[in-house]
Amino acid sequence: MNFVAWMIVASEILFWIVIVLGLVTRYVLKLNTLGLFLLALTPVIDLILLITTSIDLFRGATATHAHAIAAIYIGVSIAFGKSMVDWADKKFLYYVKKEGVKPIPLVGMDYALHYLKGYGKHVLSYLIGAGLLGGMIFLINDPSRTEALFGVLKIWTLVLGIDLVFTISYFIWPKKEKV
């Protein structure tokens, strides 16, 4: 694995370590301000990944799938980050602190609308990630060094289209409650 790939793995691990530390600090240690500060550090992890990826490419590295995944990771993290923190917060409160209400699985139109909201976040993450990929392709200005970036962008475009089909399908055939 190359340096950028290791940075992606480290970023994901650090993201969840910061989330868990933030939740433990906030709810177990009762240090609400420090807990919120730790939770607010998650975008810093994205910034570090963006800087290290940029430096690697600036130094003349040929763009790899890892560079493309870094752009995707940043887009997804920005678009879904707040909802992932909210999800972890609710789960932590219920399952660890034994407070709050048990998360109820959504069904029917509620699930379809929730999935549509998630699709909107997918589109936002795509726009951010594709913008980063496009920016890298433009700045490097050497198709032989950016072929992997363009290839991943094409695949992600296909995935976005497939996700749209799934989103529409939940309105046509709503998810049923498990019996």
Side-chain angles (χ1 to χ4, degrees), residues 76-123:
V76 169
S77 184
I78 291 170
F80 286 93
K82 185 178 184 313
S83 60
M84 286 191 288
V85 171
D86 288 343
W87 172 86
D89 192 55
K90 288 175 185 161
K91 297 286 184 182
F92 188 91
L93 274 175
Y94 183 76
Y95 291 108
V96 177
K97 291 287 292 174
K98 307 294 185 207
E99 296 175 4
V101 292
K102 182 177 182 178
I104 300 169
L106 298 174
V107 294
M109 198 54 63
D110 290 335
Y111 183 80
L113 291 170
H114 176 75
Y115 204 92
L116 178 63
K117 185 177 177 182
Y119 180 74
K121 290 177 186 174
H122 188 178
V123 170

Side-chain angles (χ1 to χ4, degrees), residues 115 119 158-173:
Y115 204 92
Y119 180 74
L158 177 65
V159 169
L160 187 68
I162 292 169
D163 195 19
L164 176 61
V165 171
F166 273 94
T167 302
I168 293 168
S169 77
Y170 288 122
F171 286 93
I172 299 170
W173 301 284

